[in-house]
Amino acid sequence: MAAALVWVVATLVFALLHLLPGDPVLVILGAEGGAQAPSPAQVAAVRHALGLDQALSTQYARWITRLARLDLGVSLDDATPVTRDILERLPTSLELICAAVAMALLGGIVLGVTAARFHGSWTDAALSGLLAGGLSFPVFVVGTLMLLVFGVLLRWFPVGAYVAFTEDPLGYLRQLTLPAVTLAFNLLGVVGRIARGSILEVLHQDYVRTARSKGLGEARVLSRHVLRTALIPIVTVVGVQFGILIGGTVLVEYIFNWPGISTLLFTAIQRRDYPMVQGIVLVTSALFILINLLVDLSYAVLDPRVRYEGRP
Amino acid sequence: MTSSAWRVILGACLVALPMIGLGVAGSHAAPPASIIFGLSSEPPNLDPALQSGTAAQTVKIQLYRGLFAYNAEGAVEKDLVGSYEQPAPTSYVFSLRPNSKFSDGSPLTSADVVFTFERIADPRVGAYLAKRMSAVESVTAVDLHTVKITLNAPDATFLQMLAAPTAAVVSKRFTLAHGNDLKTAALGAGPYRLTQWQRGIQLTVARNPYYYRQGRPKTPAIKFAFYPDENSRVAALESGTVDLIEYVPWQDIATILANPQFGYQGTNGPFMFLIFNLAQPPFNDVRVREAVGFAVNRAAIIRTAFFGRGSPIYSLPIPAASFAYDQGLAHYYTYDPAKAKRLLAEAGFGNGFTATLLSTAQYGMHKDTAEVVQQDLNALGNHITLSLPDWPTRVSLGSEGRYQFAVHGTAGDLNDPDFLSAYFHSGPLNYLVAPGYANPTLDQLLDQARATLDVSKRKALYNRIQKAALDDSAYIFLTWREQGYAYKKSLSGFRNLPGFLTFYSGYTLEETAPGK
């Protein structure tokens, strides 16, 4: 099943990419802004060396057979293995996404619970407004503002100077902050609003009334009984968002110069680096499928009523 | 898993957040005595023979050097060549500096030079200078340090071509050991050697201890960081994260000039122009092309696309400092919509024509220029629609001649009017030339001008070339645009090379020192 899905994705990506106009050979030969254009002999020689002069069906067959051996091929640009580049850049994106999701989850739940707890009050109105703001501000506006205020004016954070955690842990965290907060901002709005809504719903359930009538304290009712049930829609939405964020962090990675998978994909598309684009899309699709599976499994943990039956 | 597991996760987050906050207090200072250069893109490769954009060029100049180079004034000077003579107009004998070494300490000999030229001529390499180097008939090693080059015709631009970074000398041994692939591995005789290339993050170079110039480079190490987003690039300079940036966005030049913390150098290097498809109506009629030349308001392009940082071209893009510049021809066109209207009427388009203008949405300057052209032509009753695909698509359409007229922007590659050959000499179709355009008289004049070594004779020839080219008007040149570098005031020694050579400004990085 999974293999078939991967094959469908692989074929679709291949077809779409090769339908796209633009010629990687011209890009490689310096269409960036050269004052001399390459000669037809050069174009032909480089096209041949890269195997791009073969029939599309041959190229497709080669790509699929390699894929069957888990070989994503090499970059048209510099012949580095696609897998190596992806393995280098994917973790960087995941770090950013995890940090953002953690912030959004924590902040969103705290704000959502508070808003629900004081439902109908001024606090609720103010928090709901803030969450709506998080939801509606486009990421490039938030990002650019962050960059201007905290990077240029206050100089609290360096601007787009990535250092690995292993090299300089503090420096790493410093430059993770702005992109992670920017990325979290939107998700915070989503999580917060869903948390508020679902807690309000759960608060009126019979078992909550029972818990209260048992004499449990409000804090314990909220954390033990309400929040746990209310978490299910939050986990669902975070799971979906997490999947979308992989490869969907393009703007944030671009603005903050974050060396992740999205910037790699962006460059690869601009340069029409077919194997690289195909590889990235395949890997991120596979991750998306995997995350959705994990989300489904987590329901069982969160809600005792959901239990998957074991196969005989 | 129970609620306790969730508490652990929440707890971890609680711990992580203050850590990030803590990071704010930490300081991240660059290692001393190094320069951080904010480039506009990551080099796609390090092969010196390939033209891969300005950013890559700047890095390659640090790693590689050729027989000649450009100095800060833009003049050609000897680099790896210690002395040379020209026994005949078509032959050169170059003596390498006896102490020339690659940055790993291995000797640089005539065999490496011969290999470099062979490599440039190999079509599989895709070398930028391949076409121009076809003038080279033979390259022979006379002895270990002497190379003789014979041309099949005299070439007034030959030494300038050798000074281009794309003519840099590579190590035969090293290159062959890497399967003739220098895209990621680098060994040259430049002032720096490659120390680390973290893909997507940064590229660092350190002083080449074997560099032949005493006391150069002035700075022990340079770190190149990549800022494709222009706002982030400027923010990186303003926040003190980088010392020097290229491609200063035009909208920020005024602010940077007004700030005493920063230095700025700009030059009118590249230019914007329109290419016409002469193979089909309406632009197969020279009157229609001339009408466009009179219809477009250059001042509006400079204002909208370049925030005032540029100057108009009403003729061919010959810089005023060039020997070929002719004041009498410099105002062939004017902004004269009424005249444009008359020319259109003469051509049978009294009620205007319909055409699609190809440009790209990927670069603001291309798009903004196209919009001004569209507006000015539509004001005369024409119906122009814009086609704005991404850059690779734009280039493919251009190289196949699949457009009616198109916006383009580039620079000449030599500070010599010979660059006009790339546009006005007939040859196979490519994205720089007007489809369907060929003028045998111009072909002959351009060849003759290249083969003439006497400057006053060349001046006369280029005068005739300019007249013939303007008569045809297969291109309408629009504006010069400013190409600028900005840096911390304390930085010294960096120079923006004049005119077309601006993209080779990396040559002055060996003279650059970070200051305090």
Side-chain angles (χ1 to χ4, degrees), chain A residues 48-124:
Chain A
H48 178 72
L50 294 172
L52 293 172
D53 56 344
Q54 291 161 1
L56 217 52
S57 52
T58 318
Q59 295 185 45
Y60 173 74
R62 192 178 50 197
W63 147 247
I64 286 292
T65 39
R66 274 196 186 154
L67 191 64
R69 284 177 276 134
L70 295 179
D71 178 3
L72 293 177
V74 296
S75 159
L76 292 182
D77 241 337
D78 56 15
T80 54
V82 168
T83 317
R84 201 195 76 184
D85 276 21
I86 292 179
L87 285 180
E88 248 173 45
R89 303 287 278 269
L90 187 62
T92 327
S93 277
L94 291 179
E95 289 160 14
L96 179 60
I97 294 168
C98 287
V101 167
M103 285 183 195
L105 254 184
L106 191 71
I109 290 174
V110 168
L111 295 183
V113 168
T114 317
R117 176 73 186 76
F118 301 104
H119 177 55
S121 72
W122 277 106
T123 319
D124 181 23

Side-chain angles (χ1 to χ4, degrees), chain A residues 35 42 78 155 159 174 255 257, chain B residues 23 127 199 226-227 232 238 411:
Chain A
Q42 286 178 308
D78 56 15
R155 296 198 175 199
V159 177
R174 280 186 77 204
I255 293 171
N257 238 8
Chain B
R199 290 310 187 92
F226 321 126
Y227 292 88
S232 310
E238 289 177 336

Side-chain angles (χ1 to χ4, degrees), chain A residues 65-299:
Chain A
T65 39
R66 274 196 186 154
L67 191 64
R69 284 177 276 134
L70 295 179
D71 178 3
L72 293 177
V74 296
S75 159
L76 292 182
D77 241 337
D78 56 15
T80 54
V82 168
T83 317
R84 201 195 76 184
D85 276 21
I86 292 179
L87 285 180
E88 248 173 45
R89 303 287 278 269
L90 187 62
T92 327
S93 277
L94 291 179
E95 289 160 14
L96 179 60
I97 294 168
C98 287
V101 167
M103 285 183 195
L105 254 184
L106 191 71
I109 290 174
V110 168
L111 295 183
V113 168
T114 317
R117 176 73 186 76
F118 301 104
H119 177 55
S121 72
W122 277 106
T123 319
D124 181 23
L127 288 178
S128 298
L130 182 77
L131 295 175
L135 207 65
S136 42
F137 271 114
V139 76
F140 54 89
V141 172
V142 178
T144 311
L145 278 176
M146 291 266 181
L147 199 69
L148 259 175
V149 175
F150 298 106
V152 176
L153 294 178
L154 298 173
R155 296 198 175 199
W156 288 358
F157 299 96
V159 177
Y162 182 88
V163 276
F165 183 79
T166 45
E167 263 171 51
D168 177 2
L170 276 183
Y172 171 82
L173 289 174
R174 280 186 77 204
Q175 41 86 38
L176 174 69
T177 311
L178 290 186
V181 169
T182 305
L183 202 57
F185 207 66
N186 212 275
L187 196 55
L188 178 89
V190 179
V191 173
R193 285 173 67 87
I194 287 180
R196 177 178 171 276
S198 89
I199 284 167
L200 280 179
E201 200 177 300
V202 178
L203 274 176
H204 297 107
Q205 301 278 333
D206 290 344
Y207 72 89
V208 175
R209 208 180 315 135
T210 313
R212 284 211 179 106
S213 60
K214 265 191 331 193
L216 282 182
E218 189 63 20
R220 200 158 169 79
V221 171
L222 269 180
S223 68
R224 187 116 201 159
H225 295 270
V226 176
L227 193 55
R228 212 164 143 200
T229 319
L231 270 178
I232 290 182
I234 297 174
V235 169
T236 310
V237 79
V238 166
V240 172
Q241 292 277 340
F242 198 96
I244 292 171
L245 285 179
I246 299 172
T249 54
V250 180
L251 284 172
V252 172
E253 289 193 6
Y254 190 72
I255 293 171
F256 292 100
N257 238 8
W258 192 261
I261 196 91
S262 293
T263 37
L264 185 66
L265 179 65
F266 184 74
T267 318
I269 292 174
Q270 276 189 328
R271 296 189 64 81
R272 297 291 189 271
D273 190 344
Y274 298 144
M276 188 65 80
V277 178
Q278 288 163 184
I280 295 170
V281 173
L282 253 190
V283 169
T284 47
S285 314
L287 268 176
F288 188 84
I289 295 167
L290 183 76
I291 287 165
N292 278 306
L293 187 72
L294 289 177
V295 169
D296 281 349
L297 292 175
S298 73
Y299 294 158

